[in-house]
Amino acid sequence: MSADLALLHAKRETADRIAARVGDWDGGESSRLMVAVIDPETNTRLATAFVTVRPEPATPRLYLVGEAS
C-alpha cells in the first residue's frame, strides 16, 4: 500500500468516526443540520452526518418585585 493510499484510508476512517459520533438524526421531520468532514488539502468531502436541532429550553428568569405596601 502506498503512503498516499494509507493516508487517505486513515483520513476516511477518522472522518467516519467523527460523523458517527456527531450524527444523531433519526430520519424524522425534525429540523437538522448537515455536518461535513472535508480534507482541506484536497477539498474532498470524506464523510457527512446530520444532527438534530434541539432548541434550548427557556432559561428561568427572576424578577425583582418591590415590597407590598
Side-chain angles (χ1 to χ4, degrees), residues 14 18 25-26:
T14 303
I18 292 169
W25 184 58
D26 61 3

Side-chain angles (χ1 to χ4, degrees), residues 3-59:
D4 290 339
L5 190 56
L7 181 58
L8 177 62
H9 185 67
K11 286 180 178 183
R12 287 192 186 270
E13 284 183 347
T14 303
D16 288 342
R17 278 197 311 273
I18 292 169
R21 208 175 302 154
V22 171
D24 68 353
W25 184 58
D26 61 3
E29 294 294 319
S30 61
S31 295
R32 62 196 177 277
L33 295 173
M34 181 176 76
V35 177
V37 181
I38 298 173
D39 179 1
E41 292 176 6
T42 62
N43 202 29
T44 303
R45 186 185 315 183
L46 300 173
T48 304
F50 291 92
V51 180
T52 304
V53 175
R54 292 182 184 89
E56 293 292 321
T59 305

